[in-house]
Amino acid sequence: MARIDLHADRLLPAEPARRAVARRLYEEVRELPIVSPHGHVDPVLLQQDRPFDNPAALFVTPDHYVTRMLHAHGVPLPELGIPRRDGEGGVADPRQTWRRLCERWDAFRGTPSRYWLEAELAQVFDVPIRPSAADADLIYDRLMERFALPEYRPRALFERFGVEVLATTDDPCGDLSAHRSLREDPSWKGRVVPTFRADAYLDPSLPGWTARVEELGSVAGLDTTIYSGYVEALEARRAFFKAHGATATDQGPPDAGTIILAPSEAARLFARALQGTATPEERRAFRQHMLCEMARMSCDDGLVMQLHPGVLRNHHPPTWRDFGTDIGADIPVAIEFTRALQPLLDLYGTHPNFRIVLFTLDETTWSRELAPLAGFYPSVYLGAPWWFLDTPDAMLRFRAAVTDTAGFAKTSGFVDDTRAFCSIPVRHDTARRIDCAYLSRLVVEHRLDEEEAVETARDLAHRLPREVFRF
């Protein structure tokens, strides 16, 4: 049985002088509260506070980092607990799913998924056994023992993790009942806020758009068969979210394109989209116009706008057809920001109430486009490396690419972007170690004194995400 060895200096620089500085910096930030401004944890988890079902349901099935890697090594999705849409074939027993992970643990060598999972096992659940085929059942059983204890239930872990605020991602038509229940529960002391994610209502090219627009009108009590009513309904739902604690919206379009349409032209394209007669070019123009409308609304209501473009969703149509979305088949694509965002920033880039946080999976844009945009526009902030780029090496590349032009204060702090609740403290700890590693180089090169490096490390870990996302 191999034990998980979490070295105290993991992710810190190997060079002795830098490591010594990084250690001191890390000690200043390791215990700071966690601000999680962008993620996908279901608030029902905390509302109900039930014991976790089993290790597969916690660590494997909902985590597309894990499922995509195992799928790439030939493990069928039903063996990972992912059912077919048609219900045929069933799914593996959770213990069998856990065995599939442990049998292919070698596939995760060098990946952040392995780093996170090992830290979760050892630190969160006190099961410091390295996964393997031989020890799969032993680890499974010990985890099940932990899950039965009150100190390992979601609310107890939320408190132990030191989470100051957790933002979820929510459908505009959702009733936010879980958020309301948490806020009204006198025994709950944490803070969980919704985030307005309206992509499915803004893009006429997405399946089910017409039905969603109808639902939007029903929930808002407005006539969404006309463009003015549709816009008013979106504004009304944003106000509902803000009343329930939301501080941000989230948009993930295929590209960063923006266009300003006259109201009459927007109404014409909206009508054609509802009728199903809009061309692909018209649907794209309407989507890009609505991105600008989201920015206009942010100027009015103060919700921070997050933009996550540049992902080709459901790259393998047969897998999407059989199993649905969010299972690891989304692939990054090259993206352009400078020209794409000019119409939006021309109108709102210097508006005193507007704030936009830009994320990308195309790191070639970091120094060429994103840092210069943030280095000029008061409204533009740079989101942390995200999804395929939330790795130790990519985080270091990000700091090296953007700091010269944008500095530290025009970045958002870390976002964990996770559905895996128990990975939150591990991912934030990773970011803190990496930022301390980067800052240590500036200190030993005499580009920043250590006192300022401490202040910067604390800013990146805690102050910036609080301020950027208006918590």
Side-chain angles (χ1 to χ4, degrees):
M1 180 175 66
R3 291 183 59 84
I4 295 171
D5 178 23
L6 298 179
H7 196 283
D9 290 332
R10 58 192 182 278
L11 302 180
L12 301 186
E15 194 275 318
R18 283 189 59 191
R19 175 164 286 192
V21 174
R23 281 175 180 161
R24 294 194 293 272
L25 297 177
Y26 176 64
E27 285 303 314
E28 295 287 336
V29 299
R30 64 182 303 172
E31 299 296 335
L32 289 178
I34 289 174
V35 176
S36 177
H38 174 88
H40 304 281
V41 171
D42 188 343
V44 172
L45 178 80
L46 293 161
Q47 177 207 12
Q48 296 181 348
D49 196 34
R50 295 175 178 169
F52 298 113
D53 290 335
N54 59 72
L58 182 61
F59 293 108
V60 183
T61 304
D63 192 336
H64 57 69
Y65 288 88
V66 174
T67 57
R68 74 187 313 273
M69 179 65 82
L70 293 173
H71 181 267
H73 285 270
V75 182
L77 293 175
E79 293 187 18
L80 301 176
I82 299 173
R84 291 177 58 94
R85 281 176 160 177
D86 57 18
E88 294 184 2
V91 297
D93 173 82
R95 188 178 290 271
Q96 287 297 111
T97 295
W98 179 255
R99 288 171 180 163
R100 297 290 85 78
L101 171 67
C102 294
E103 290 164 0
R104 294 315 314 264
W105 193 242
D106 62 307
F108 291 92
R109 289 173 181 164
T111 68
S113 292
R114 171 169 169 155
Y115 180 89
W116 298 329
L117 286 169
E118 288 192 342
E120 289 174 69
L121 290 172
Q123 291 187 312
V124 176
F125 292 102
D126 192 27
V127 182
I129 305 170
R130 181 176 299 164
S132 66
D135 293 321
D137 286 341
L138 173 63
I139 299 171
Y140 189 98
D141 291 336
R142 290 198 181 177
L143 287 169
M144 289 299 292
E145 292 172 2
R146 300 290 190 273
F147 294 170
L149 300 174
E151 59 264 38
Y152 292 99
R153 289 171 68 160
R155 289 192 183 189
L157 290 176
F158 187 95
E159 184 175 352
R160 171 148 68 93
F161 294 165
V163 179
E164 182 176 300
V165 59
L166 173 69
T168 63
T169 307
D170 307 271
D171 189 286
C173 289
D175 63 8
L176 304 183
S177 58
H179 292 86
R180 184 167 57 253
S181 177
L182 283 169
R183 292 176 68 184
E184 295 173 354
D185 184 347
S187 67
W188 170 249
K189 306 303 180 185
R191 184 180 179 190
V192 180
V193 301
T195 300
F196 187 82
R197 178 67 181 256
D199 288 334
Y201 298 82
L202 305 178
D203 187 351
S205 67
L206 294 177
W209 178 78
T210 301
R212 290 190 186 94
V213 170
E214 181 179 355
E215 182 186 9
L216 176 68
S218 177
V219 170
L222 294 162
D223 181 6
T224 53
T225 64
I226 58 174
Y227 174 68
S228 59
Y230 163 76
V231 171
E232 189 178 352
L234 288 168
E235 292 171 335
R237 295 306 296 171
R238 289 171 63 111
F240 176 79
F241 269 58
K242 188 171 181 179
H244 282 73
T247 68
T249 70
D250 184 30
Q251 285 76 225
D255 56 65
T258 58
I259 186 172
I260 307 295
L261 297 176
S264 59
E265 177 63 4
R268 185 185 73 84
L269 295 186
F270 177 76
R272 284 179 57 80
L274 276 185
Q275 296 162 4
T277 58
T279 66
E281 292 75 17
E282 288 174 328
R283 292 194 294 268
R284 181 174 63 251
F286 184 80
R287 166 176 58 79
Q288 294 178 345
H289 167 75
M290 288 309 300
L291 197 61
C292 291
E293 279 293 278
M294 290 292 103
R296 177 190 63 77
M297 294 178 197
S298 285
C299 293
D300 294 336
D301 60 27
L303 294 181
V304 177
M305 185 175 182
Q306 298 176 84
L307 186 62
H308 294 80
V311 182
L312 180 57
R313 305 281 178 176
N314 307 309
H315 188 269
H316 188 238
T319 298
W320 172 77
R321 181 187 63 241
D322 292 343
F323 296 96
T325 61
D326 299 324
I327 56 173
D330 301 335
I331 309 294
V333 295
I335 192 79
E336 194 273 339
F337 286 92
T338 304
R339 295 180 182 87
L341 287 177
Q342 191 169 22
L344 184 152
L345 293 174
D346 181 46
L347 281 181
Y348 309 119
T350 57
H351 191 286
N353 206 34
F354 182 56
R355 182 167 297 168
I356 185 169
V357 183
L358 301 179
F359 296 82
T360 186
L361 294 174
D362 180 3
E363 63 179 279
T364 67
T365 66
W366 282 343
S367 61
R368 185 183 66 244
E369 300 186 55
L370 294 189
L373 286 170
F376 174 77
Y377 287 98
S379 61
V380 176
Y381 288 77
L382 304 185
W386 147 75
W387 201 345
F388 290 90
L389 298 178
D390 55 1
T391 71
D393 290 327
M395 291 178 188
L396 286 171
R397 293 196 299 270
F398 172 77
R399 291 292 174 206
V402 306
T403 303
D404 285 350
T405 304
F408 294 105
K410 289 305 296 290
T411 62
S412 70
F414 183 63
V415 301
D416 50 72
D417 185 45
T418 186
R419 290 175 174 81
F421 172 67
C422 293
S423 75
I424 289 174
V426 175
R427 296 190 192 205
H428 282 263
D429 182 73
T430 299
R432 293 174 185 190
R433 289 173 179 272
I434 291 299
D435 283 336
C436 291
Y438 180 77
L439 288 164
S440 72
R441 179 166 70 88
L442 301 188
V443 172
V444 300
E445 292 176 359
H446 306 292
R447 298 164 62 185
L448 196 67
D449 67 45
E450 191 165 328
E451 182 179 351
E452 288 182 295
V454 167
E455 183 178 346
T456 303
R458 295 178 67 87
D459 286 347
L460 294 172
H462 186 250
R463 184 184 66 82
L464 281 171
R466 280 182 55 87
E467 292 187 0
V468 172
F469 289 93
R470 292 175 171 159
F471 292 130

